[in-house]
Each structure stands twice: as structure tokens, then as C-alpha cells.
Amino acid sequence: MTRLVILGKQGAGKGTQCALLVKHYGIPHISTGDMLRAAVAEGTDLGLQAKEVMEAGELVSDDLILGIVRERLAQPDAQLGFLLDGFPRTDVQARELTAMLAPEAIDVAIDIEVPDNVVTERMSARGRTDDTPEAIQRRLEIYQTETVPLLEFFSSQGILISVDGLGTEDEVQDRIVAATERNR
Ligand code: AMP
């Protein structure tokens, strides 16, 4: 059983590292951003509610997010572990996640650290439709105010690992796996 949470600014390399970790641990990759983008593409109710918020770089409401995560974590493939990417992002989400999983818990929360100027360059280059300069800036502000406090939340539980996110994909992956193995 491996239950991991990946934290880090947008552009820190969470998606890339998750794809490698999924192979390494054989657990499903659960990305709330991917689920929301799929809902937008399909034009579901959820997608319609999330679209503008995402384009503005704001956060989708905790209620909507918690609904999709609760449903996803109930699926059979998530019973043996999972990799959460882009969730939790707020204090409410982190507390609800802990409650959802009790009495079990997250094994390790991994924070991929990359400076603002580097993620801004990377995001500008990836060309996603929600990557306007304003949205990029807004997401960094929100990360600071909403998500950085979660580092303390996981740190106080003794499960936070901070990993240097600069370097090649393989270098960062090796750091993550080594730190995860040391801490779980
Ligand atoms: P991501 O692919 O994780 O960068 O997410 C893309 C966008 O989806 C974000 O900018 C938010 O608008 C929304 N989103 C994804 N995950 C969450 C979450 N856990 N809470 C609130 N909004 C989210």
C-alpha cells in the first residue's frame, strides 16, 4: 500500500514525476486537474461549472473537488494506494482528505521545490489554453496563500518530504524515490 501526495507549484514537474512514480509503484495517478479538464472537454455539468474558474487561474470550489475525489478514491484500483496530484490544495481539502482516509493515512507528502521564475518560464512554454500570463501569476499567488500552509500541515504529521525540483527528470525522480523510501 502506497499513498502519496505530490505538492508543488504549477510547472514544478508534478505531472512528469507522477507518470514515473506510477510506473515505479504500480498505483493509479489521480490528478484533479486532469479530471476537471476531461469534464470540460466532455461538457458535463462539472465541466461547465469549472471552465471559467480554471481559465482565470482561480481554484474550483472545495465542494466540487471533494465530490470528485471522494468518488475516485472509492474505485477498486485506488484501494491499494494512489498518487494524488494537484490535490489537496487548500486547508479544507487536506482536512477532508485526512477524514476520508481515516483510520489509515497518507504515507508521504512530496513537495517538489522550484523557484517562481523557473515555473513561470516553464508554464509560458507549455502553451495550455489556461496558461495566460495573468492566470500563471494568479496561480502562483494562490499557491502561496492557500497551498503553502499545507506544507506545515503535513510537516506537523511528520510525513513531508521536500525535494529539489531542478535537474533532469531522472535526477528529480531518483531524489523522490530515495526520500520516499526513507520516510515510509
Ligand atoms: P492543475 O492541472 O493541477 O494545475 O489544475 C488546473 C486547474 O484546475 C487549477 O488551476 C484549478 O483551477 C483547478 N484545480 C485542480 N485541482 C484543484 C483543487 N484541488 N482545488 C481547486 N481547484 C483545482
Side-chain angles (χ1 to χ4, degrees), residues 8-11 14 31-37 50-62 64-66 68-69 85-90 93 123 126 128 130-131 135 139 142 147:
K9 296 164 195 160
Q10 296 194 332
K14 295 192 296 287
S31 156
T32 45
D34 284 351
M35 289 193 273
L36 291 170
R37 278 185 289 278
K51 189 169 188 285
E52 283 181 20
V53 180
M54 292 171 72
E55 282 171 357
E58 301 289 334
L59 292 182
V60 173
S61 77
D62 287 332
L64 279 185
I65 294 289
L66 286 165
I68 61 174
V69 170
D85 166 12
F87 175 92
R89 260 179 159 94
T90 66
Q93 292 177 13
M123 281 194 271
R126 73 183 177 180
R128 224 163 66 184
D130 59 346
D131 285 339
R139 288 198 214 101
I142 293 180
T147 309

Side-chain angles (χ1 to χ4, degrees), residues 23-100:
K23 272 196 233 153
H24 187 90
Y25 288 110
I27 48 177
H29 175 200
I30 302 181
S31 156
T32 45
D34 284 351
M35 289 193 273
L36 291 170
R37 278 185 289 278
V40 170
E42 285 166 24
T44 63
D45 277 352
L46 169 69
L48 292 175
Q49 291 180 69
K51 189 169 188 285
E52 283 181 20
V53 180
M54 292 171 72
E55 282 171 357
E58 301 289 334
L59 292 182
V60 173
S61 77
D62 287 332
D63 278 353
L64 279 185
I65 294 289
L66 286 165
I68 61 174
V69 170
R70 199 168 276 125
E71 223 170 82
R72 184 63 189 86
L73 291 183
Q75 299 297 310
D77 67 337
Q79 303 317 305
L80 290 178
F82 45 78
L83 181 57
L84 284 173
D85 166 12
F87 175 92
R89 260 179 159 94
T90 66
D91 188 59
V92 170
Q93 292 177 13
R95 284 171 202 285
E96 286 296 317
L97 174 66
T98 306
M100 240 183 258

Side-chain angles (χ1 to χ4, degrees), residues 68-175:
I68 61 174
V69 170
R70 199 168 276 125
E71 223 170 82
R72 184 63 189 86
L73 291 183
Q75 299 297 310
D77 67 337
Q79 303 317 305
L80 290 178
F82 45 78
L83 181 57
L84 284 173
D85 166 12
F87 175 92
R89 260 179 159 94
T90 66
D91 188 59
V92 170
Q93 292 177 13
R95 284 171 202 285
E96 286 296 317
L97 174 66
T98 306
M100 240 183 258
L101 297 178
E104 294 171 280
I106 294 292
D107 296 303
V108 177
I110 301 155
D111 175 31
I112 307 180
E113 294 181 312
V114 179
D116 277 9
N117 62 325
V118 176
V119 295
T120 303
E121 266 172 43
R122 288 186 188 171
M123 281 194 271
S124 310
R126 73 183 177 180
R128 224 163 66 184
T129 55
D130 59 346
D131 285 339
T132 61
E134 296 75 21
I136 291 171
Q137 183 55 37
R138 184 69 190 127
R139 288 198 214 101
L140 283 174
E141 287 166 16
I142 293 180
Y143 186 79
Q144 199 58 42
T145 54
E146 299 290 330
T147 309
V148 166
L150 299 191
L151 302 181
E152 180 50 38
F153 176 82
F154 287 118
S155 175
S156 69
Q157 296 174 19
I159 60 168
L160 181 72
I161 294 171
S162 293
V163 173
D164 177 5
L166 296 179
T168 66
E169 288 173 10
D170 286 344
E171 282 165 354
V172 177
Q173 178 74 185
D174 289 348
R175 285 176 207 144

